[in-house]
Amino acid sequence: MSQLPDIPRLYTALAEWLACMVYVMALRRRVEGWRLALEAGALLVVLSVFLVATGSLPVVFWLPCMAGAVGIMYGLIVLCGDVGPMDGLYYCVQAFVLAEFAASLVWQLHCFFLLDGPRFWGDWLLLLLVVYSGVFFAIRFSIQRVTTNNTPLSITWPELSSAIIIGAAVFGASNLSFLSVNTPFSGRYSGEIFNIRTIMDLGGMAILYAHYLQCWQIRVRRELEAVQNVLHNHYQQYQMSQESVDMINRKYHDLKHQIMVLRAEPDSGRRAAFLDQMEEEIKAYEAQNKTGNRVLDTVLTSKSLACARQDISLTCVADGTLLDFMDVMDLSAVFGNALDNAIEYEVQIADPAKRLIHVTVSSRRDFVLLRFENYCQDSLRFREGLPVTTKKDKSNHGYGLKSIRFVAEKYGGIVTVKQEREWFVLQVLLPVRGNIQK
């Protein structure tokens, strides 16, 4: 068996299509159902026709044709998967090396077991199904373990460049013998050439998977650090707010002494001025909330004062004793983030009469329900249970809601976000006991 035939183009087309679909199914998708099947099926036909039609061209056109196939793979990923151009190119590199390995492996096994003639007509089909199913399901399972939250990878230029270099090096080394046998690194015999290609593709696939895993770990670590920073910042805000509330309490204590002086003041004009001053100071003190939980009182008082400065009406009906099981940092983070997000939106509303925020804390059997509502005049889009930001700097937003979800999951609870007519509603449902995960 000195001369082995090359991989059939249909085998290669199917491997490249399946490799793309492995990543498309692991990503957030633009289309679903029959539209996904229709678009993906059409691109499978395009890819197959292209590779078969270019199979008889001279070897000088081999690299341009491979580039064209990669372009079709890229189109499949960005059209069916909801990814940006850079993420799409990164996944395309991953899919291309995976497809090269799968096609090389199945054809090498075919040549070893079935080249002299199949035992029955379906041998080649059975081998194709077994190998492709094994390879692509294994990779799909491995990817699913990494991309559990289906969040965008947001690949950077250095990461993308390194992946392209790895993919190009693997492709060049694995196919060097097919271009020329007159190099120090080329194989001389068909079996040897096939071994080089399969092993190089396997090694390249492993390296790229490790690269992929590292990129995701960096993203997760960065997001966790951002969430922790949000939690810490709100705890610091709580401490500062506590100082402000203490100052208000001292001022209230002083008012009692001022009343005694006022009673002894014979001048009605000065007495009226004193009364006006006291009224203003009492209005500020009225912003305090008495819920039965000192931490919650501090946060609500601070946010009430902020709302008063922005002509926002904040109403609160809360039994703070229900939240005594929560850690100070967690409690301040949940209410601080929720109210900051609401205030940030309400200040954009032109009519002060529509700047409304409602907060309730109530019991639901063995659960505590935190409900935050604010008037919302825009129609919001949601993705993975969270509203899609309309700000240009999307990468640095959304950590407030993520930190709330992080805290809720820590206590075994859940977070739901929805829009009810002209109200944005954030609900946090927590078990009474909390069950904090250490």
Side-chain angles (χ1 to χ4, degrees):
M1 194 184 301
S2 59
Q3 186 66 32
L4 298 178
D6 201 3
I7 304 174
R9 289 302 183 100
L10 285 177
Y11 278 42
T12 302
L14 182 60
E16 292 176 349
W17 183 81
L18 287 172
C20 291
M21 292 307 297
V22 163
Y23 287 95
V24 167
M25 298 308 293
L27 301 172
R28 193 168 49 235
R29 292 174 288 279
R30 296 183 189 275
V31 292
E32 298 285 355
W34 65 269
R35 289 190 58 189
L36 175 63
L38 184 62
E39 292 185 12
L43 286 168
L44 172 59
V45 173
V46 171
L47 186 59
S48 301
V49 170
F50 175 79
L51 287 177
V52 172
T54 58
S56 59
L57 293 178
V59 69
V60 69
F61 294 105
W62 179 62
L63 285 178
C65 290
M66 292 303 298
V70 171
I72 297 174
M73 294 174 66
Y74 175 76
L76 172 60
I77 292 174
V78 297
L79 287 176
C80 297
D82 188 8
V83 294
M86 290 181 60
D87 279 9
L89 186 54
Y90 182 79
Y91 287 120
C92 183
V93 173
Q94 296 274 348
F96 178 70
V97 176
L98 171 59
E100 285 286 298
F101 168 71
S104 179
L105 177 62
V106 74
W107 191 241
Q108 185 170 1
L109 293 176
H110 177 95
C111 292
F112 185 82
F113 291 109
L114 306 176
L115 189 61
D116 293 333
R119 296 175 185 175
F120 67 97
W121 70 271
D123 277 347
W124 64 273
L125 181 59
L126 178 62
L127 180 64
L128 184 70
L129 289 175
V130 169
V131 174
Y132 276 8
S133 298
V135 170
F136 292 116
F137 274 110
I139 296 300
R140 176 69 182 91
F141 175 76
S142 300
I143 293 173
Q144 190 174 19
R145 293 184 60 188
V146 179
T147 57
T148 53
N149 54 357
N150 290 337
T151 55
L153 183 56
S154 300
I155 203 74
T156 63
W157 274 113
E159 292 167 339
L160 177 60
S161 301
S162 60
I164 292 175
I165 291 172
I166 293 171
V170 170
F171 176 73
S174 63
N175 289 277
L176 180 62
S177 300
F178 291 91
L179 294 176
S180 174
V181 296
N182 297 319
T183 72
F185 308 103
S186 302
R188 296 290 190 274
Y189 304 100
S190 296
E192 181 183 333
I193 293 173
F194 273 37
N195 287 334
I196 293 173
R197 177 169 62 184
T198 304
I199 293 173
M200 286 296 301
D201 289 337
L202 175 62
M205 188 177 66
I207 294 171
L208 283 174
Y209 177 75
H211 189 277
Y212 180 66
L213 182 63
Q214 185 181 40
C215 289
W216 272 110
Q217 288 176 339
I218 292 173
R219 297 300 176 280
V220 172
R221 190 182 306 117
R222 189 176 298 164
E223 182 167 304
L224 182 60
E225 289 174 354
V227 170
Q228 292 288 1
N229 287 335
V230 170
L231 295 175
H232 183 69
N233 289 339
H234 275 280
Y235 178 66
Q236 289 183 323
Q237 290 180 17
Y238 157 74
Q239 292 178 314
M240 295 174 62
S241 298
Q242 182 61 55
E243 295 174 0
S244 300
V245 171
D246 290 341
M247 182 182 66
I248 292 176
N249 287 333
R250 290 194 299 270
K251 191 65 176 178
Y252 175 70
H253 185 266
D254 293 340
L255 285 174
K256 293 189 296 183
H257 297 284
Q258 292 175 8
I259 291 174
M260 295 175 60
V261 174
L262 183 61
R263 285 175 177 171
E265 176 59 52
D267 189 335
S268 60
R270 295 187 62 185
R271 189 163 53 243
F274 270 125
L275 287 172
D276 291 340
Q277 181 181 356
M278 289 174 60
E279 185 178 13
E280 292 298 322
E281 292 175 344
I282 289 173
K283 284 182 179 179
Y285 183 75
E286 285 176 346
Q288 277 204 76
N289 293 266
K290 301 297 183 181
T291 67
N293 185 293
R294 189 165 182 263
V295 178
L296 182 58
D297 292 346
T298 300
V299 176
L300 289 176
T301 299
S302 173
K303 301 307 177 185
S304 297
L305 294 172
C307 288
R309 288 193 296 268
Q310 300 289 345
D311 291 327
I312 298 173
S313 175
L314 171 61
T315 58
C316 178
V317 179
D319 182 359
T321 60
L322 298 172
L323 302 174
D324 288 342
F325 65 88
M326 291 187 69
D327 179 77
V328 174
M329 181 179 292
D330 296 333
L331 182 56
S332 61
V334 169
F335 280 85
N337 279 306
L339 291 172
D340 280 350
N341 288 342
I343 293 171
E344 183 180 2
Y345 181 84
E346 295 305 305
V347 296
Q348 302 175 37
I349 299 177
D351 185 0
K354 294 183 178 180
R355 298 176 185 173
L356 305 172
I357 301 175
H358 302 320
V359 180
T360 58
V361 179
S362 57
S363 61
R364 294 289 188 273
R365 294 187 178 180
D366 295 330
F367 294 87
V368 180
L369 177 64
L370 317 180
R371 184 178 174 94
F372 304 88
E373 304 171 83
N374 64 277
Y375 180 79
C376 180
Q377 59 189 2
D378 299 320
S379 179
L380 303 178
R381 292 190 304 112
F382 291 83
R383 175 179 294 169
E384 297 177 15
L386 298 178
V388 179
T389 181
T390 57
K391 298 178 180 179
K392 293 182 179 180
D393 187 10
K394 300 181 186 296
S395 60
N396 290 324
H397 291 281
Y399 287 116
L401 286 175
K402 288 180 180 178
S403 69
I404 295 174
R405 178 178 287 179
F406 175 82
V407 172
E409 292 174 350
K410 173 182 176 181
Y411 288 87
I414 59 173
V415 174
T416 57
V417 181
K418 57 185 176 180
Q419 187 171 18
E420 296 179 351
R421 296 186 179 179
E422 294 184 330
W423 289 92
F424 177 82
V425 180
L426 166 65
Q427 293 188 144
V428 183
L429 190 64
L430 303 173
V432 173
R433 294 291 179 182
N435 297 325
I436 301 178
Q437 299 175 5
K438 299 296 183 182

